[in-house]
């Protein structure tokens, strides 16, 4: 599969028109049409649904949508690889890609980036937000350099850097709710309440172990991927959202409050990357800065 033809394919998908794509690529329409026809024959699948002569608009087939996603990933990796190889050894310029869930622990990344920025202002950071499955998928595909992960790791596949950061589990609720009068929330408090859980925890995990019940025996009224959306459901009175502290602002005029679990449930944050990962120069330097900053924080904590 020719990378140049993938570029042509994405241009048509973007413009939704072979005519307009040909103009943007400075190609003749027959040439572009022939290239895409050859690609469809090579793959044995139709990639576009051609519109009527009046509209000439084209739309992607299901196979076309799959190819669009993969083509974008492939061309992005090619671009990054070319940039990393041709980079001047004496100048740190480039991009660092990080995947993370919603956590106040991102401040550790921000502090390290700020330290490195003073010496290497040509480094740029790209943050992708999602749950743990999203982060691992992007790590495995080589689309990100580092992931911020809480909980257990498969150390046969990933390397990990311990951080000094822990997140605290608890309940996000309205200030006028029944449980808001409590300082801490116990498993018994939640067993009959309408719960809003992350999609991962709704399938069973650390949280359901803490609650002492299988997910099917809980009143899970909704699930979420990112807790900001869950906070809106809570604000409308749908239920109690289980999540981590310091993500949703509950101060000031907010209708919401956060109460931690009792017994306390904390999870440690790790910075992970694929085993045998070949880092770009900026990513390698960033990891050095992170490691040094964590070691310094640990030394200061141990000093009486």
């Amino acid at each position: 599969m020719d990378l140049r033809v993938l570029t042509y394919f994405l241009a048509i998908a973007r413009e939704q028109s072979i005519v307009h794509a040909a103009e943007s690529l400075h190609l003749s329409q027959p040439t572009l049409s022939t290239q895409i026809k050859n690609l469809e024959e090579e793959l044995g699948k139709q990639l576009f649904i051609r519109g009527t002569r009046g509209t000439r608009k084209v739309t992607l087939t299901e196979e076309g949508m799959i190819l669009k996603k993969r083509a974008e990933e492939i061309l992005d990796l090619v671009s990054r690889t070319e940039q990393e190889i041709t980079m001047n050894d004496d100048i740190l310029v480039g991009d660092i890609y990080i995947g993370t869930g919603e956590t106040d622990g991102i401040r550790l990344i921000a502090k390290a980036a700020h330290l490195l920025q003073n010496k290497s202002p040509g480094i740029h950071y790209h943050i992708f937000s999602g749950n743990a499955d999203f982060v691992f998928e992007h790590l495995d595909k080589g689309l990100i350099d580092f992931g911020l992960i809480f909980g257990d790791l498969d150390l046969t596949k990933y390397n990990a850097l311990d951080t000094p950061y822990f997140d605290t589990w608890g309940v996000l609720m309205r200030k006028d709710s029944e449980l808001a009068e409590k300082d801490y929330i116990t498993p018994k408090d939640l067993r009959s309440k309408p719960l809003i859980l992350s999609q991962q925890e709704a399938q069973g995990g650390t949280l359901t172990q803490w609650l002492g019940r299988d997910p099917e025996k809980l009143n899970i009224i909704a699930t979420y991927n990112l807790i900001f959306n869950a906070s809106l459901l809570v604000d409308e009175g749908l239920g109690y959202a289980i999540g981590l502290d310091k993500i949703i602002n509950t101060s000031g005029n907010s209708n919401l409050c956060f109460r931690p679990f009792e017994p306390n449930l904390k999870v440690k944050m790790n910075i992970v990357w694929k085993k045998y990962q070949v880092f770009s120069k900026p990513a390698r330097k960033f990891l050095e800065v992170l490691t040094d900053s964590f070691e310094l924080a640990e030394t200061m904590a141990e000093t009486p």
Side-chain angles (χ1 to χ4, degrees):
M1 190 181 299
D2 193 322
L3 295 177
R4 176 173 49 86
V5 178
L6 288 182
T7 302
Y8 296 168
F9 165 77
L10 288 177
I12 298 174
R14 180 181 65 250
E15 300 289 345
Q16 296 184 314
S17 164
I18 294 178
V19 173
H20 293 160
E23 291 174 353
S24 69
L25 294 167
H26 305 291
L27 295 173
S28 69
Q29 182 182 340
T31 298
L32 183 57
S33 295
T34 299
Q35 294 283 356
I36 296 304
K37 181 180 179 182
N38 292 341
L39 178 61
E40 290 180 321
E41 290 177 354
E42 178 185 349
L43 296 174
K45 297 290 183 180
Q46 182 179 351
L47 301 174
F48 292 104
I49 299 173
R50 279 71 171 174
T52 61
R53 183 174 294 274
T55 63
R56 294 189 178 181
K57 182 178 179 180
V58 298
T59 56
L60 290 168
T61 63
E62 183 176 350
E63 292 78 10
M65 287 187 283
I66 294 172
L67 180 60
K68 179 178 181 292
K69 179 181 178 182
R70 298 305 181 209
E72 289 171 340
E73 294 172 354
I74 290 168
L75 294 177
D76 180 57
L77 282 173
V78 169
S79 175
R80 288 170 56 186
T81 302
E82 290 175 345
Q83 184 185 63
E84 291 164 8
I85 291 174
T86 59
M87 191 182 303
N88 189 311
D89 289 339
D90 298 325
I91 302 175
L92 282 179
V93 177
D95 300 279
I96 296 173
Y97 299 82
I98 301 167
T100 176
E102 293 174 299
T103 170
D104 192 60
I106 196 70
R107 293 180 183 275
L108 297 180
I109 297 296
K111 290 177 181 177
H114 188 215
L115 288 172
L116 188 53
Q117 184 184 46
N118 294 329
K119 296 181 179 179
S120 305
I123 296 178
H124 303 281
Y125 302 86
H126 306 277
I127 309 299
F128 299 86
S129 297
N131 59 20
D133 290 339
F134 170 90
V135 174
F136 283 129
E137 179 184 357
H138 279 62
L139 278 172
D140 292 343
K141 291 180 179 178
L143 299 176
I144 58 176
D145 300 304
F146 304 102
L148 273 62
I149 295 293
F150 290 90
D152 297 332
L153 298 169
D154 182 356
L155 295 179
T156 65
K157 292 180 62 178
Y158 306 100
N159 290 322
L161 176 64
D162 284 343
T163 77
Y165 184 82
F166 287 84
D167 256 338
T168 301
W169 279 96
V171 186
L172 188 67
M173 64 188 84
R174 287 177 58 96
K175 289 178 179 177
D176 59 1
S177 65
E178 176 187 351
L179 296 182
E181 299 177 359
K182 293 176 169 285
D183 294 327
Y184 300 95
I185 303 300
T186 68
K188 184 178 179 181
D189 293 330
L190 296 175
R191 286 174 182 163
S192 62
K193 295 292 187 290
L195 302 181
I196 304 170
L197 270 61
S198 73
Q199 292 165 4
Q200 287 177 287
E201 289 297 334
Q203 298 171 8
T206 302
L207 177 61
T208 50
Q209 292 175 19
W210 180 86
L211 286 168
R213 288 197 175 179
D214 294 332
E216 58 268 20
K217 295 182 179 178
L218 297 171
N219 182 16
I220 302 174
I221 198 167
T223 63
Y224 67 86
N225 185 23
L226 298 176
I227 199 170
F228 174 76
N229 292 329
S231 72
L232 300 180
L233 301 181
V234 174
D235 197 26
E236 292 298 325
L238 188 64
Y240 295 82
I242 310 300
L244 301 174
D245 197 6
K246 298 180 182 178
I247 300 175
I248 301 300
N249 182 12
T250 57
S251 61
N253 295 325
S254 171
N255 293 327
L256 307 180
C257 62
F258 182 89
R259 297 291 182 266
F261 286 155
E262 178 62 41
N264 186 273
L265 182 60
K266 289 188 175 184
V267 285
K268 188 169 187 176
M269 185 178 81
N270 293 288
I271 296 174
V272 303
W273 60 96
K274 285 174 64 177
K275 276 190 177 296
Y276 315 113
Q277 171 89 6
V278 179
F279 284 129
S280 65
K281 295 179 182 71
R284 187 165 60 246
K285 185 62 179 179
F286 183 65
L287 182 58
E288 291 176 8
V289 172
L290 279 172
T291 303
D292 291 344
S293 64
F294 294 162
E295 289 178 351
L296 178 60
E298 185 177 349
T299 300
M300 293 178 65
E302 293 174 352
T303 302

